[in-house]
Amino acid sequence: MTSVTPSVLAERRPLGDRGFQILALAAGLVVLVILVLIAVSTTQQASSWFATEGTSVFSSSWNPAAHQYGALAFIYGTAITAVIAIVLAVPVSVGVALLLTQVVPYRWARPLVYVIDLLAVVPSVVWGLWGILVFAPWIQGVYSSVGSGLQGVPVLGSLFGPPTSGASFFTAGIILAFMITPIVTSLSREVTATVPAIDREGAYALGATRLEMIRGVVLPHSQGGIVGAVLLGLGRAMGETIAAALVIGSSATITSHLFAPGYNMPAVIANEFGEATGLFRSALMGLGVLLFIFTIIINVLARTIVARSARRGRGA
Amino acid sequence: MALVTAEPPKVNLREPPSWRRAKNRMVTTLMVLSFVLMIIPLGLVLATVIAKGASVISWPFLTSQIPPSVLPANAGGIGPAVLGTIEITALAALLAVPLGILGAIYLNEYGGNRPLARLIGFMADVMTGVPSIVMGLFIFSIWVLHFGFSGLAGAFALGCLMLPIVIRSTDEMLKLVPNSLREGSYALGATKARVTVTVVLPAAFGGIVSGVLLAIARAAGETAPLLFTILTVTAANPNVFSGANTSLPSQIFVNASSPYVGAQARGWGAALTLIAIAFLLMIAARIVTARFARYAP
């Protein structure tokens, strides 16, 4: 919001006034300073890994005992779990967002939003605790019956067949999905709520059903915003640490079997960094740098898309 | 005279059932179903945490020392973790909240549409997406390597997480303050700093406090930034500025990976405590918004 330039008549601005402005500017600059410092300091700590391994930082062999530190298994695990989380979370989130903005009257929508906010406040570590002690043992049974049923079936068998384990890529993906639904929902809700009433009523006046109105008016209007919301959810799912560290199974393997134990970047850092020294620590720090780069790219992309669609939504 | 009560002919104005209506109804059902799907995990987690945590939790549990993991559920408690969480989160808030509010004042009152302000606002949004574990690694490399583990280092990491959230929520609230208030004060000859501090901030007070409380609730539940900054010990450490410390989330993380039933039970108790803290902060935020926010979004 632009504010009016004050006191053109004043001869000089008092010192305190100028001081306050400088203080505020400095506080704003802290954000940029922190982001630069994160990039510089972690890269510096990881430099010996990048220097020693060269391009084989992206190799698939991870064996700290033999001083092999290839990160591919973790990058693969991060991608797989994040994609599972997105595939499960997005339809539900968009459905709830449409329910809250297009179906339920505003008076009833508010309490429902409070419930979703509660979901957002449950800490990551509590999801992890529940995931490993309650959810994983239960879903283990589901996995093994699905797995034995699909064993030998061409494509499905190599995705869902044995080996199966309660702590696995898929369990991590499900828990991550629970954790990112609130954010994807609230962002989708923001964009679907800004659809001009006149467009919606126009569609109804032409005899459209609610579904036809949503497909013809709401979705075209909020496409960009929803894509941005999905990308932000993806970024969250990639960086979410503690829950994944507890339920992913901690096994640095690259496999197409989604029910098999795996590993991802944040989880391996959380689990191994405490005991790591030397090149091992540097390698884990390097995984942090890669994670930082991936999430920054995704977030910049998502925010740009959201900002652009918000500008279009206002009709500018 | 006989009253003629002519019944109007009955016309059925309802549209005949059709495939379009059926599809519409099906999709509406799917939306309701997705809401149900969304709250089922929440209900399950809350039910489990309350069921398993309530039997452990008591005043002595919240205050006594953390026992070795092998001891049964009724031994010891999580006192040091409660103390650590309160100390570290409070210190983080002390660092991040003034900075965040000042940053938002720059964005909204001074920056306007300047490229620098737009960049800072954009980067604050991007910073909310930086994984919390990266914040932990960052503080580890610039602070812990030189000055050792401490509650302060943990507070730095949590503060880094809170900062962009506080900036963004405060910024939203400042945007809602009507310009006429600012112009009225300028007309009385007030300087910009004075207008901001005595007119704009009080007008947005409720919303700012509510945003801050939500940011604190988020930070209090974070584990990843604390792992390599406070080191998770079992002894109580009232000195937040030096020496390894502990917190509720880190203690839950340790207990969740423990094979001992007693340790797991203490984990559930700690989880219930943590969720209770987060929910209380959230409810407080709602009350503040309802009571004090003059310009609600």
Side-chain angles (χ1 to χ4, degrees), chain B residues 14-296:
Chain B
R14 291 182 151 251
E15 260 190 58
S18 70
W19 174 229
R20 291 170 57 219
R21 311 267 139 196
K23 254 200 319 199
N24 183 45
R25 205 157 321 130
M26 261 155 45
V27 171
T28 309
T29 317
L30 277 181
M31 287 181 194
V32 175
L33 207 68
S34 60
F35 185 79
V36 174
L37 262 180
M38 183 181 227
I39 57 170
I40 283 177
L42 175 69
L44 286 176
V45 167
L46 289 185
T48 321
V49 169
I50 291 170
K52 300 208 177 198
S55 58
V56 190
I57 230 163
S58 65
W59 183 248
F61 176 76
L62 293 178
T63 51
S64 47
Q65 293 303 307
I66 299 168
S69 292
V70 289
L71 291 190
N74 54 10
I78 50 164
V82 175
L83 178 70
T85 283
I86 293 172
E87 281 176 347
I88 294 165
T89 315
L91 190 57
L94 225 56
L95 294 168
V97 171
L99 213 54
I101 293 178
L102 275 172
I105 288 175
Y106 170 72
L107 287 187
N108 203 56
E109 306 297 315
Y110 291 98
N113 230 355
R114 274 179 224 166
L116 179 63
R118 288 226 302 269
L119 177 72
I120 291 175
F122 185 78
M123 282 306 172
D125 278 340
V126 170
M127 194 173 163
T128 55
V130 172
S132 53
I133 186 102
V134 173
M135 292 298 183
L137 291 176
F138 161 57
I139 298 299
F140 179 85
S141 12
I142 67 158
W143 187 266
V144 176
L145 279 180
H146 308 290
F147 305 103
F149 298 101
S150 66
L152 179 64
F156 282 142
L158 291 188
C160 285
L161 279 177
M162 287 173 68
L163 181 66
I165 308 178
V166 175
I167 289 183
R168 262 323 181 191
S169 66
T170 308
D171 186 34
E172 294 294 316
M173 291 306 141
L174 294 180
K175 274 187 188 139
L176 296 174
V177 176
N179 245 349
S180 52
L181 282 185
R182 296 186 181 90
E183 283 156 14
S185 339
Y186 290 144
L188 294 172
T191 60
K192 189 154 190 169
R194 171 154 287 221
V195 171
T196 304
V197 175
T198 60
V199 176
V200 179
L201 280 185
F205 180 76
I208 294 176
V209 171
S210 150
V212 164
L213 288 174
L214 288 177
I216 294 176
R218 277 278 300 280
E222 279 289 349
T223 322
L226 298 180
L227 288 175
F228 327 124
T229 51
I230 65 170
L231 193 66
T232 315
V233 291
T234 49
N237 181 3
N239 184 355
V240 74
F241 293 104
S242 82
N245 214 313
T246 185
S247 72
L248 281 171
S250 348
Q251 213 56 51
I252 300 170
F253 182 52
V254 171
N255 288 18
S257 1
S258 163
Y260 299 107
V261 180
Q264 290 179 2
R266 279 187 290 280
W268 288 112
L272 182 56
T273 316
L274 190 59
I275 285 194
I277 292 175
F279 280 13
L280 284 179
L281 283 167
M282 215 179 104
I283 293 167
R286 290 261 173 257
I287 292 173
V288 169
T289 312
R291 289 261 297 121
F292 299 104
R294 261 182 276 173
Y295 308 103

Side-chain angles (χ1 to χ4, degrees), chain A residues 10-26:
Chain A
E11 318 242 293
R12 271 175 83 181
R13 292 172 65 194
L15 210 60
D17 192 38
R18 198 119 32 99
F20 185 74
Q21 176 170 6
I22 292 168
L23 201 65
L25 173 62

Side-chain angles (χ1 to χ4, degrees), chain A residues 76-77 80 84 153-164 168-170 253-262:
Chain A
Y76 173 80
I80 288 287
I84 294 172
V153 180
V155 179
L156 294 176
S158 58
L159 282 179
F160 302 111
T164 63
S168 65
F169 286 122
F170 206 79
T253 44
I254 300 180
T255 165
S256 65
H257 294 279
L258 300 181
F259 293 161

Side-chain angles (χ1 to χ4, degrees), chain A residues 63-308:
Chain A
N63 186 0
H67 302 290
Q68 292 176 319
Y69 302 105
L72 192 64
F74 307 111
I75 297 173
Y76 173 80
T78 304
I80 288 287
T81 48
V83 166
I84 294 172
I86 284 293
V87 168
L88 296 175
V90 167
V92 172
S93 305
V94 174
V96 172
L98 290 175
L99 178 77
L100 293 178
T101 55
Q102 312 299 328
V103 182
V104 174
Y106 183 70
R107 192 158 23 115
W108 295 357
R110 280 185 73 120
L112 298 184
V113 171
Y114 290 163
V115 174
I116 298 172
D117 286 350
L118 284 183
L119 192 63
V121 162
V122 174
S124 172
V125 71
V126 174
W127 284 116
L129 178 76
W130 178 76
I132 194 63
L133 295 182
V134 179
F135 186 67
W138 172 78
I139 204 157
Q140 163 110 58
V142 179
Y143 289 165
S144 62
S145 52
V146 170
S148 56
L150 290 174
Q151 193 168 14
V153 180
V155 179
L156 294 176
S158 58
L159 282 179
F160 302 111
T164 63
S165 152
S168 65
F169 286 122
F170 206 79
T171 311
I174 294 175
I175 298 280
L176 290 177
F178 294 158
M179 299 182 64
I180 63 171
T181 36
I183 176 108
V184 181
T185 304
S186 81
L187 289 165
S188 312
R189 200 160 52 82
E190 263 168 43
V191 287
T192 49
T194 59
V195 176
I198 198 158
D199 292 3
R200 299 172 44 194
E201 282 155 19
Y204 282 136
L206 291 173
T209 62
R210 189 187 292 123
L211 171 64
E212 288 158 355
M213 188 279 289
I214 287 174
R215 281 178 38 183
V217 175
V218 178
L219 289 184
H221 172 92
S222 33
Q223 247 169 12
I226 291 177
V227 171
V230 170
L231 279 177
L232 284 177
L234 186 69
R236 276 286 162 87
M238 284 171 60
E240 193 44 69
T241 309
I242 291 299
L246 285 166
V247 300
I248 200 168
S250 306
S251 156
T253 44
I254 300 180
T255 165
S256 65
H257 294 279
L258 300 181
F259 293 161
Y263 231 151
N264 69 3
M265 296 157 82
V268 73
I269 301 172
N271 283 339
E272 311 275 353
F273 194 82
E275 283 91 53
T277 50
L279 190 57
F280 190 10
R281 173 184 283 176
S282 175
L284 291 173
M285 197 61 99
L287 285 176
V289 174
L290 294 179
L291 189 61
F292 180 65
I293 294 171
F294 293 162
T295 48
I296 286 284
I297 291 173
I298 286 184
N299 272 279
V300 167
L301 208 64
R303 292 294 176 183
T304 314
I305 292 173
V306 169
R308 187 170 303 162

